[in-house]
Amino acid sequence: MSNVLDNPVKFVPGVGEKRAKLLEKELGVRTLGDLLYLFPFRYIDRTRIYRIAEIQDDSLAYIQLRARVEAMQVVGTGPKKRLRVVVSDGSGHAELVWFKGLAWIQKRIELQREYIIFGRPSLFNGVLNLVHPDVESTLGEGSRFQPGVQGVYRTTEPLVNNHINTKTLFTLVCNAWQLADGRIEETLPPEIIREYNLMGLRDALYNIHFPTDETQLKAARLRLKFEELLGIQLNILAQRNLRVMRNRGFIFSVVGQRFNDFYSQRLPFALTSAQKRVIKEIRADMGSGRQMNRLLQGDVGSGKTLVALLTMLIANDNGYQASIMAPTEILAHQHYDSITELLGEASGVRVALLTGSTRKKVRDELLEQLAAGQIDILVGTHALLEDRVRFANLGYVVIDEQHRFGVEQRARLWMKSDRLPHILVMTATPIPRTLAMTLYGDLDVSVIDEMPPGRKPVKTVHYNDSHRLRMLGFLKQEIDKGRQVYIVYPLIKESEKMDYLNLEEGHAGIVQAFPPPDYYVQVVHGKMKQADKDYGMNLFKRGQAHILLATSVIEVGVNVPNASVMVIESAERFGLSQLHQLRGRVGRGAEQSYCILMSSVKLSKESRARLKAMVDTTDGFELSELDMQLRGPGDVAGTQQSGMPFELKIASLSQDGQILALARRAAENVLQADPLLSLPENQLLRQLSRKNDTEDNRDFSMIS
Ligand code: ADP
Ligand code: MG
């Protein structure tokens, strides 16, 4: 079956070999269909023509003039060499300026002729300027000037340098359309089009490029977004089905003595109902015969460790070993300490700790015991991933702060078992639902959405430099009450030009305000060796330093209940989720805690919104939604490291949550009856899904 959309793009009139190569390299456009799936990122109204005298400021993004050329001159030399064209429309004069392609433009512009001029206005000494505008003759043959709403396409510098600007792209799209129209095959099954009341593909492609009106454009966008998100959801969910079919899970059928003894005798407090619910969800997975792959989201301090411990005891009760991996030594130690303390001496559960600094003798013995099945719970860092670490029967793996590990690293841990163990990945970085559905779409998600009782929400204030003395006075007050303080800086070394406080300057100021020997200030920053960092952190943990001055290295899970104040310097430079993480370091004890956001007086609108949100709410999910609205999904923590797994052409995860939910539902409905999309009637959907195959999920492509 040949589809016109699959034809190579070089056959589109106006493209040819050379441009085809460029289009592929720059925009990934290989086929005619790719060209038609290059959507305008906005539209301009080419029906409106401005008078030059009307333009009083540069608030408009684009304007269109109809004006006559009065003078034309090349001025300047070297990089300043430019073509200046003076035009007039009777109401006033404007200057058009070109720095590039002078000869080409000069040839195309004639004195005294009238042109439609289109570009971004700026005022320069009161004169209206347009740099590199589009210019078209209003007369004669070959005039392509057509009033109407027109798409603006994304270009790149190499494209523009080769005379493929947004308008050229529009022309190429027009040409492609002429070849394709009447031969475009629908990509969605009729039932789905009907059920979700979607525009057909032909009309959608037409209207996305040449919108007839607002309503049609909206319907076209909806259809194309739905298609895009449906393809991704089908891909993710079909892969998940495949994984489930391939991997039978260990069946943990009993909740036995270890769990019960601990639960009834050792638990120092009642579980929150969120913790109970999550433990139930995990138990159900563990007993189902399916291999569990679950993401546990829970705000800092929500009690994820306890959930990990209780569920590891279930693994033990069923005769399997369990392991928990943390991203830093200090966290691994923290887990080890709290787990052994919670279990107590008499539990009979054999817990061990393995990190990079475990002594050889201890390590050798430990590895032997591990392989002999004499260790029940192994706590550790990346050191767990080394080849010589062998378990006797690893049945359950917990990964804390999962975003700190690469996909491959995580996978290495579960390869240590002949059969894939049950997996729980935990994160304190709340991820908006829409993002989670896409980023972690093949994981089941549990959420702890409730804090243990008795916690006082952290009080947050936003100060600027004029409040610095007040801030220091407050710190003194708290420290003199016996509490400890974090002060966090965004960077270690600043570039000269910027006036942000840096850690070193800040250190001098703080030591001056809190001089030895009465006060001790400990510094920890990202460029220090891990061992030195841990040493410094431990000093603070033991209460031997009053102030911990740090770059954001303390972000992850450290627990110092006595610390009651978090000061964040140049807070405007942190993202919302990072600010939230940092704030989560305090408020872990019984005392009222405080977070002080220091910023410069002058702030961008976005920074102000971020800091205001921090003052207004302590809800991590609310903040993560807002972060996504403000910055777009690409910057939300958790995606920075791995990047977005899918490139979206038209849908937006921050804005199209509702469409995503619909697409998700549609995907689930289809896959329920046909888990791997193998039925003949689902071949269209299968194709849609496979557009999203990546390196990581090549498994799924292999079964076709
Ligand atoms: P996180 O989810 O950030 O990893 P932790 O597991 O470190 O949180 O728990 C934070 C603190 O809350 C710990 O000191 C823990 O003992 C305590 N905690 C956990 N669950 C409860 C509960 N149900 N009631 C009271 N305190 C709890
Ligand atoms: Mg934790």
Side-chain angles (χ1 to χ4, degrees):
M1 182 176 63
S2 105
N3 185 332
V4 62
L5 296 189
D6 293 334
N7 291 349
V9 72
K10 67 178 176 189
F11 296 126
V12 173
V15 179
E17 296 281 354
K18 187 165 159 254
R19 281 184 163 183
K21 284 213 180 82
L22 203 60
L23 286 171
E24 169 159 15
K25 178 148 175 276
E26 294 298 314
L27 302 174
V29 168
R30 278 185 290 120
T31 63
L32 190 155
D34 292 340
L35 193 55
L36 289 181
Y37 271 82
L38 212 56
F39 303 134
F41 65 96
R42 53 187 187 79
Y43 298 84
I44 45 177
D45 184 357
R46 300 210 71 159
T47 55
R48 168 91 204 254
I49 296 206
Y50 286 84
R51 309 278 294 160
I52 291 172
E54 266 183 277
I55 313 297
Q56 299 294 344
D57 55 40
D58 30 24
S59 60
L60 291 163
Y62 282 93
I63 56 164
Q64 190 164 235
L65 306 170
R66 180 192 288 263
R68 195 170 297 281
V69 175
E70 300 205 328
M72 177 156 59
Q73 192 184 11
V74 175
V75 293
T77 52
K80 289 210 167 139
K81 183 170 164 183
R82 60 198 188 274
L83 175 66
R84 244 180 71 199
V85 175
V86 179
V87 298
S88 154
D89 67 354
S91 81
H93 288 87
E95 267 185 39
L96 317 182
V97 182
W98 281 268
F99 294 93
K100 279 183 192 160
L102 309 193
W104 193 65
I105 302 287
Q106 259 175 312
K107 251 187 274 164
R108 304 190 40 191
I109 292 185
E110 283 171 44
L111 280 170
Q112 294 311 319
R113 194 155 168 181
E114 188 179 61
Y115 292 89
I116 298 289
I117 298 148
F118 179 82
R120 190 186 292 276
S122 61
L123 284 175
F124 196 68
N125 291 334
V127 178
L128 175 61
N129 264 258
L130 288 98
V131 178
H132 286 198
D134 280 352
V135 172
E136 261 177 43
S137 170
T138 55
L139 301 168
E141 299 284 298
S143 163
R144 278 175 300 156
F145 170 66
Q146 293 169 313
V149 175
Q150 194 175 301
V152 179
Y153 297 81
R154 219 170 277 292
T155 56
T156 66
E157 211 181 313
L159 284 175
V160 173
N161 289 344
N162 285 281
H163 306 295
I164 303 184
N165 55 22
T166 172
K167 212 172 55 181
T168 325
L169 282 173
F170 179 71
T171 309
L172 298 180
V173 168
C174 291
N175 297 346
W177 178 258
Q178 264 155 23
L179 288 182
D181 194 15
R183 298 164 64 195
I184 294 173
E185 288 161 27
E186 181 52 61
T187 43
L188 292 177
E191 312 82 65
I192 287 193
I193 295 207
R194 219 176 309 118
E195 183 172 352
Y196 294 92
N197 204 4
L198 300 171
M199 187 180 246
L201 181 61
R202 187 261 166 210
D203 290 354
L205 286 176
Y206 180 79
N207 277 288
I208 201 81
H209 294 292
F210 324 108
T212 32
D213 62 46
E214 219 27 65
T215 322
Q216 298 291 312
L217 177 57
K218 233 171 130 181
R221 292 177 69 87
L222 172 67
R223 143 77 203 219
L224 294 166
K225 284 176 178 184
F226 183 92
E227 174 179 325
E228 179 167 54
L229 294 169
L230 177 66
I232 290 172
Q233 290 302 319
L234 284 170
N235 189 280
I236 290 172
L237 295 175
Q239 273 179 64
R240 175 176 148 194
N241 289 342
L242 182 69
R243 173 171 55 73
V244 169
M245 283 179 206
R246 282 198 182 156
N247 304 302
R248 270 178 311 120
F250 294 117
I251 298 181
F252 298 168
S253 51
V254 298
V255 171
Q257 194 184 355
R258 285 182 171 176
F259 181 97
N260 286 328
D261 282 357
F262 177 75
Y263 194 85
S264 57
Q265 288 159 32
R266 296 283 315 171
L267 206 58
F269 30 62
L271 294 179
T272 62
S273 45
Q275 284 170 319
K276 281 188 195 155
R277 172 170 36 81
V278 168
I279 290 169
K280 247 188 221 150
E281 286 165 357
I282 295 171
R283 261 184 56 191
D285 278 0
M286 288 174 155
S288 71
R290 282 187 300 120
Q291 179 254 338
M292 176 175 81
N293 220 357
R294 190 169 275 279
L295 173 72
L296 174 56
Q297 295 198 55
D299 221 334
V300 272
S302 61
K304 294 186 293 295
T305 316
L306 199 57
V307 170
L309 174 58
L310 279 160
T311 49
M312 286 195 289
L313 292 178
I314 298 180
N316 289 172
D317 272 337
N318 286 274
Y320 289 92
Q321 292 170 301
S323 181
I324 177 165
M325 180 164 77
T328 64
E329 290 239 334
I330 190 158
L331 272 179
H333 273 278
Q334 201 170 281
H335 282 323
Y336 178 77
D337 291 347
S338 61
I339 287 173
T340 45
E341 195 188 310
L342 281 164
L343 287 171
E345 302 273 298
S347 71
V349 182
R350 295 158 299 182
V351 185
L353 173 70
L354 178 67
T355 73
S357 51
T358 306
R359 296 250 162 72
K360 182 171 182 325
K361 196 163 155 258
V362 179
R363 194 200 313 136
D364 289 347
E365 198 180 336
L366 187 158
L367 292 178
E368 217 165 276
Q369 291 173 337
L370 188 68
Q374 290 157 358
I375 289 174
D376 304 308
I377 294 178
L378 181 61
V379 182
T381 56
H382 299 82
L384 296 182
L385 302 176
E386 287 169 26
D387 284 341
R388 59 194 165 167
V389 179
R390 297 250 157 76
F391 291 82
N393 59 349
L394 178 63
Y396 179 38
V397 166
V398 180
I399 303 216
D400 197 15
E401 306 292 349
Q402 58 80 26
H403 62 282
R404 291 279 163 143
F405 296 97
V407 175
E408 230 167 273
Q409 277 180 321
R410 283 184 260 155
R412 255 163 76 196
L413 188 50
W414 40 84
M415 291 312 165
K416 291 189 176 292
S417 174
D418 294 338
R419 212 199 287 177
L420 220 48
H422 294 299
I423 297 162
L424 182 71
V425 296
M426 309 202 292
T427 179
T429 309
I431 300 157
R433 257 172 57 83
T434 50
L435 196 55
M437 271 185 193
T438 312
L439 208 51
Y440 302 118
D442 77 323
L443 302 186
D444 294 305
V445 179
S446 288
V447 182
I448 306 187
D449 49 6
E450 180 188 358
M451 285 292 182
R455 294 275 170 82
K456 297 197 180 92
V458 180
K459 283 191 181 150
T460 304
V461 290
H462 174 196
Y463 283 174
N464 60 48
D465 270 326
S466 66
H467 301 110
R468 191 161 287 277
L469 277 180
R470 195 199 297 180
M471 183 268 281
L472 291 172
F474 181 71
L475 298 191
K476 192 155 261 168
Q477 220 178 306
E478 285 289 302
I479 291 171
D480 291 349
K481 275 196 248 168
R483 317 257 196 277
Q484 290 164 283
V485 171
Y486 293 102
I487 304 181
V488 177
Y489 290 82
L491 298 169
I492 308 176
K493 271 253 186 279
E494 242 337 318
S495 77
E496 301 92 322
K497 277 193 202 144
M498 291 193 261
D499 61 353
Y500 295 113
L501 274 172
N502 68 45
L503 186 72
E504 282 148 37
E505 253 176 44
H507 183 225
I510 290 297
V511 170
Q512 205 170 27
F514 296 94
D518 294 344
Y519 298 97
Y520 186 78
V521 180
Q522 173 68 45
V523 178
V524 174
H525 59 74
K527 295 224 170 104
M528 283 163 71
K529 281 208 202 100
Q530 188 63 44
D532 295 338
K533 271 192 258 186
D534 287 348
Y535 178 82
M537 297 290 305
N538 272 322
L539 216 67
F540 186 71
K541 246 182 119 164
R542 288 197 301 267
Q544 288 163 331
H546 301 99
I547 298 180
L548 185 77
L549 214 73
T551 51
S552 43
V553 289
I554 58 164
E555 194 185 332
V556 166
V558 219
N559 196 16
V560 185
N562 190 47
S564 65
V565 187
M566 165 65 66
V567 179
I568 305 175
E569 293 283 355
S570 301
E572 69 270 33
R573 305 197 57 202
F574 291 93
L576 254 185
S577 59
Q578 221 182 350
L579 289 172
H580 178 67
Q581 287 279 302
L582 287 169
R583 177 167 60 185
R585 300 303 106 219
V586 295
R588 305 192 142 220
E591 312 305 333
Q592 176 62 54
S593 292
Y594 305 87
C595 175
I596 303 177
L597 306 168
M598 301 297 295
S599 82
S600 50
V601 182
K602 266 188 101 176
L603 287 176
S604 72
K605 219 166 114 190
E606 196 216 291
S607 305
R608 193 167 295 281
R610 238 182 296 140
L611 299 182
K612 180 170 184 311
M614 282 294 291
V615 173
D616 290 348
T617 180
T618 53
D619 182 323
F621 279 95
E622 209 176 295
L623 289 170
S624 79
E625 289 284 354
L626 194 72
D627 200 21
M628 193 159 92
Q629 307 289 345
L630 288 173
R631 301 199 300 170
D635 283 321
V636 174
T639 66
Q640 284 143 332
Q641 249 168 346
S642 43
M644 289 292 291
F646 302 102
E647 202 186 320
L648 295 172
K649 281 185 176 7
I650 186 165
S652 142
L653 291 182
S654 46
Q655 268 144 47
D656 299 323
Q658 277 179 325
I659 306 176
L660 175 58
L662 289 180
R664 173 87 168 191
R665 199 177 75 197
E668 280 167 353
N669 285 344
V670 172
L671 292 171
Q672 192 151 34
D674 183 12
L676 297 180
L677 296 175
S678 25
L679 295 176
E681 63 264 34
N682 286 328
Q683 288 320 291
L684 276 182
L685 292 177
R686 185 187 178 84
Q687 275 176 28
L688 200 61
S689 155
R690 296 208 38 195
K691 274 194 186 169
N692 296 290
D693 283 348
T694 61
E695 281 282 299
D696 285 346
N697 62 32
R698 101 185 72 90
D699 258 12
F700 181 49
S701 345
M702 268 160 43
I703 59 162
S704 57

